[in-house]
Amino acid sequence: MFPSQESLKKNFIVPSPAGDAAAPTGANLYARFAIAGAVCCGVTHGAMTPVDVVKTRIQLSPEVYNKGMIAGFRQVVAAEGAGALLTGFGPTAAGYFLQGAFKFGGYEFWKKTFIDLVGAEKASENRTAIYLGSSAIAEFFADVALCPLEATRIRLVSQPTFATGLLSGFTKILKEEGAIKGFYSGFGPILLKQVPYTMAKFVVFERTTELILNQIGTPKDQLAPSTMTTVNLGSGIVAGTVAAIVSQPADTLLSKINKQKGVAGESLTSRLVSMAGQLGVKGLFLGLGPRIVMVATLTAGQFAIYGDIKRVLGATGGVEIAK
C-alpha cells in the first residue's frame, strides 16, 4: 500500500524518530492523524470563541459594533456581561473537534492516495496541485459534520435569547425548522468559505514550511521538536492570514444567512445573491481585522499542536511532498 522505504527516503521527507518497526500504518495511522486534528481544531477554535463572538457581532450589527475589535469586546461586556464572550463555546468546540478529525485525517489520506495514483516523482513535481486537491476533498466531508453545529453557534451568538446552550439550541432548531433547512441552509456558504480557506491554509503552510526548512538547511527529521514547533507556528501564521482574507466574503454571508430564517419559497442562491448585493465589497469584508487575528492565531496553534500530538502518538508515517 505504501511506497518502499527507499522510494520514500529518496523522494520525501519522512520523519520517523520512533523507528520504522514501531510506526503505525493504514487505518491505525490515519486514526492518529484524525485524533491529532480533532484535538488541535477543537482546542484552538474553542479558545478563540471570544474573538469569534465579537467578529460575528461586527458582521451582523455593523451599525452598533463599528469601532473596531477592542471596542467591540468592551461593548459586548458592557451590554451583556463577560459571560457573553463565551456564547457558542459548546457548538464551536464540538463542531471543530469533528471537523478537525475529518479535515486533517482526510488531508493526509487523500494526499497519500494521490501520491499512489500518480507516483512519487510526479507527485513531488506537482505537489501544490496535490495539496489543493487533497485539502478540498477533505474539507467537503469535514463541512458535512461541521454545518449543524456551526448553524447552532451562529444562532446563539446572533440571538442571545434563542437558547441557553448547545443542547437546547440544537434541539430547538431541529424541532422548529428540521434537519435540512435548520442545519444545512448555510451548507453552500460554508463550503464557499471553508473549502477555499482550507485549500489556502494547507498549500501556504506546506510551501512556507518548505521555504523555511530550505533556509535552515537541516533535514526535518534531524531538527529538535522545539524547532519544528516554532517552524509550524511561523508557517501557520502566514497560512492563517492568507486563508482569512480568501474566505472572508463567504464567512460574512454565512453569518448573515444563519442569523434568521429565510423567506418561504426563497432559494438559497437567491438569498446569497441578494445579501451579497446589499452588502457590497466593503460589507463583505466587515470584521476582517478581528478575523485575521483569530484565524492567524488559531491556524498557527493548530499546526503546532497537530505536529506535537502526531509526534506523541507516533504518527510519523505520512509522506510530505517536499524536495
Side-chain angles (χ1 to χ4, degrees), residues 3-276:
S4 67
Q5 292 300 310
E6 285 188 10
S7 175
L8 289 175
K9 290 175 182 177
K10 181 179 179 181
N11 294 286
F12 304 103
I13 298 172
V14 187
S16 54
D20 294 337
T25 59
N28 187 8
L29 175 63
Y30 293 111
R32 298 181 192 215
F33 288 144
I35 291 170
V39 173
C40 78
C41 286
V43 168
T44 53
H45 278 276
M48 295 303 292
T49 296
V51 178
D52 205 20
V53 168
V54 175
K55 181 267 299 180
T56 303
R57 295 290 175 84
I58 291 172
Q59 290 174 323
L60 298 179
S61 303
E63 69 283 356
V64 177
Y65 299 93
N66 54 13
K67 299 177 182 178
M69 182 172 65
I70 302 301
F73 275 100
R74 292 172 180 163
Q75 286 177 277
V76 172
V77 172
E80 304 169 45
L85 293 173
L86 291 178
T87 303
F89 173 80
T92 297
Y96 283 95
F97 185 89
L98 284 174
Q99 191 232 26
F102 281 97
K103 174 157 62 178
F104 281 86
Y107 175 70
E108 300 282 5
F109 172 80
W110 288 107
K111 185 168 67 170
K112 175 65 177 58
T113 299
F114 285 129
I115 291 169
D116 287 344
L117 185 65
V118 303
E121 185 176 347
K122 187 171 288 187
S124 183
E125 293 172 356
N126 297 279
R127 54 193 180 280
T128 296
I130 288 179
Y131 297 149
L132 292 171
S134 302
S135 57
I137 297 171
E139 185 59 44
F140 176 86
F141 291 105
D143 289 343
V144 174
L146 172 66
C147 202
L149 291 159
E150 180 71 352
T152 304
R153 179 196 70 81
I154 292 174
R155 190 68 62 87
L156 292 174
V157 173
S158 61
Q159 299 177 22
T161 60
F162 178 75
T164 57
L166 167 59
L167 217 49
S168 59
F170 189 95
T171 304
K172 188 174 181 179
I173 293 174
L174 182 62
K175 182 179 179 181
E176 293 184 355
E177 302 174 42
I180 301 300
K181 186 176 180 181
F183 294 135
Y184 286 96
S185 289
F187 187 60
I190 209 171
L191 285 178
L192 290 174
K193 180 188 85 167
Q194 288 294 136
V195 172
Y197 160 78
T198 299
M199 293 169 73
K201 169 179 169 176
F202 276 104
V203 75
V204 173
F205 175 81
E206 296 274 19
R207 296 311 296 254
T208 302
T209 299
E210 185 178 336
L211 287 172
I212 293 174
L213 293 176
N214 285 340
Q215 290 298 313
I216 293 173
T218 302
K220 186 174 181 178
D221 57 347
Q222 296 178 23
L223 291 174
S226 59
T227 302
M228 273 312 306
T229 298
T230 302
V231 171
N232 289 339
L233 282 169
S235 299
I237 289 172
V238 177
T241 300
V242 174
I245 295 170
V246 167
S247 60
Q248 177 64 20
D251 182 68
T252 301
L253 290 174
L254 179 64
S255 295
K256 290 285 187 182
I257 208 166
N258 278 310
K259 182 179 180 180
Q260 57 190 18
K261 301 177 184 178
V263 178
E266 185 181 25
S267 70
L268 175 61
T269 302
S270 62
R271 287 181 70 191
L272 289 173
V273 171
S274 176
M275 286 179 183

